[in-house]
Amino acid sequence: MDYIRFGQTGLKVSQLCLGTMSMGSSAWKGWVLDEDASNPILRRALDLGINFFDMADWYSIGRNEEVVGRNLLRMTAREQLVLATKVFYPMSADPNDRGLSRKHIATAIDRSLARIGVDYVDLYVIHAFDPDTPIEETMEALHDTVRAGKVRYLGASTMYAWQFAKMNHVAAINGWTQFVNMQCQYNVLYREEEREMLPYCRDQGIAVTTFSPLARGFLARDAASARTVHDLYQEFYGDDIDREIARRVREVAARRGVSAAHVAMAWVASSPHHNIPIVGAAKTTHVEVAVEALGLRLEAGEREFLEAPYRPRDEINDQNPVRRPRALYPG
């Protein structure tokens, strides 16, 4: 495992980040692993050199942070971990227990730290854009978490590029802490961030972390899984073009003598749009495959073959609900 600079910061992170949405409580979502089943995956990730772990308060409504934090700290020293968590989604029926208001951010960070069992997190990510809260209020509140020593770096996720740029601009003109990370969806079936977000991040030296490199498993299997049965976002994938791209992924994999998951992950990890893939795992072999894929270099012709059927499609974010893919330029 190589360790790379996180954007323009001095922070060093592993080439892969372990996404932990699948760890916490099966009572929250049917495909989520309970604590006993999560521990071997965390251990294997550490053994393979992963030091970067992504959590969220909303995952299993807090249980995710408890399970991942408690067990990682039993396995290794806090100083050897790069821990990320997120804030935005509702944590209860309380109307103030959600969003990016000063009130919610101040409460949420303290609760997250207590659940994880740490004094600070390395990366605090807003899970989405909040149209109901002034940007100035959000950015100053986030800056205060950094000044208080509770957060080292700030990140954002799942929004339009203009929103992300505007938030960083507001922080810059006020002397507040800016975002150093964008977390967005990116895979061979979903490449919309190549239009504006990825070029913006490259221009600004912002680290990019990418989730769903296997398109929530669509690129890795032919049959349904516990995840696909329960995951509403899975409805976004599955038209004729998606199936053709998935077929091509399998074809390249067969030629290379590897699995489709290897090829799909390698496409993301070796993208000219430099990024750190966030790997989800339901078993230790999923982490192993992701690490192996780092050494798989696709040839230019293979990338062209995989990408050729792609067409523009709807973006996925909270201002644009999940819909079926559509061709923006018919014919």
Side-chain angles (χ1 to χ4, degrees):
M1 180 66 64
D2 290 332
Y3 299 90
I4 57 179
R5 187 179 176 192
F6 197 61
Q8 291 186 332
T9 76
L11 182 66
K12 300 298 192 302
V13 299
S14 49
Q15 293 170 281
L16 292 176
C17 173
L18 183 68
T20 64
M21 186 179 182
S22 63
M23 303 176 191
S25 172
S26 57
W28 182 60
K29 294 182 183 294
W31 49 269
V32 173
L33 305 175
D34 292 312
E35 185 165 7
D36 288 348
S38 301
N39 287 342
I41 299 172
L42 295 172
R43 168 54 67 189
R44 188 60 179 141
L46 289 171
D47 289 344
L48 291 170
I50 294 175
N51 73 345
F52 191 8
F53 296 85
D54 179 77
M55 298 170 279
D57 59 358
W58 179 66
Y59 298 162
S60 294
I61 312 300
R63 181 65 175 160
N64 164 260
E65 292 174 319
E66 293 174 353
V67 167
V68 175
R70 173 168 57 243
N71 289 289
L72 282 176
L73 293 171
R74 288 172 177 169
M75 296 174 186
T76 193
R78 170 67 183 96
E79 294 75 18
Q80 296 178 1
L81 297 168
V82 177
L83 300 178
T85 195
K86 309 185 196 74
V87 59
F88 174 77
Y89 288 113
M91 295 297 289
S92 71
D94 183 344
N96 286 310
D97 201 12
R98 64 193 67 194
L100 299 177
S101 68
R102 170 175 290 280
K103 178 177 177 63
H104 186 229
I105 288 172
T107 300
I109 185 60
D110 287 343
R111 289 176 177 173
S112 287
L113 295 178
R115 284 190 293 259
I116 299 169
V118 294
D119 296 324
Y120 69 94
V121 290
D122 299 282
L123 179 65
Y124 200 40
V125 178
I126 59 169
H127 221 150
F129 182 80
D130 184 356
D132 296 325
T133 302
I135 289 174
E136 290 81 2
E137 178 178 342
T138 295
M139 297 310 296
E140 186 176 20
L142 290 171
H143 174 66
D144 288 346
T145 68
V146 176
R147 290 192 63 188
K150 299 175 183 180
V151 171
R152 297 292 187 258
Y153 302 97
L154 297 175
S157 179
T158 317
M159 63 184 64
Y160 293 116
W162 70 264
Q163 294 168 329
F164 186 48
K166 185 175 182 179
M167 296 185 86
N168 256 354
H169 176 68
V170 166
I173 62 177
N174 285 284
W176 299 330
T177 307
Q178 298 179 56
F179 296 121
V180 301
N181 166 239
M182 165 49 61
Q183 183 180 125
C184 55
Q185 182 163 190
Y186 189 50
N187 55 62
V188 73
L189 299 184
Y190 184 79
R191 297 169 51 199
E192 297 311 298
E193 305 296 358
E194 291 178 351
R195 298 171 184 241
E196 295 183 355
M197 184 63 80
L198 295 178
Y200 169 74
C201 291
R202 182 171 60 250
D203 178 73
Q204 297 296 306
I206 293 170
V208 175
T209 48
T210 52
F211 63 89
S212 214
L214 305 185
R216 287 175 162 81
F218 187 91
L219 293 169
R221 67 176 75 85
D222 295 321
S225 69
R227 173 81 188 253
T228 60
V229 169
H230 292 88
D231 191 346
L232 295 177
Y233 280 89
Q234 189 68 33
E235 296 177 5
F236 192 78
Y237 300 113
D239 70 353
D240 290 343
I241 294 176
D242 288 344
R243 287 193 291 272
E244 171 59 18
I245 295 174
R247 185 198 66 76
R248 292 183 180 214
V249 169
R250 293 192 297 271
E251 182 177 327
V252 171
R255 290 182 201 153
R256 289 295 197 105
V258 296
S259 71
H262 282 91
V263 172
M265 179 64 70
W267 184 90
V268 175
S270 62
S271 170
H273 300 281
H274 298 297
N275 70 96
I276 300 166
I278 300 175
V279 183
K283 56 182 71 172
T284 56
T285 54
H286 293 165
V287 184
E288 293 165 356
V289 166
V291 173
E292 290 167 1
L294 293 175
L296 179 62
R297 290 290 178 264
L298 298 177
E299 298 175 358
E302 291 174 319
R303 293 190 70 91
E304 292 173 3
F305 176 68
L306 295 174
E307 296 169 5
Y310 191 79
R311 75 316 198 186
R313 64 190 308 164
D314 289 325
E315 292 187 58
I316 300 177
N317 60 47
D318 282 306
Q319 289 80 56
N320 185 18
V322 174
R323 292 174 289 188
R324 299 297 295 177
R326 62 179 172 86
L328 297 184
Y329 307 102

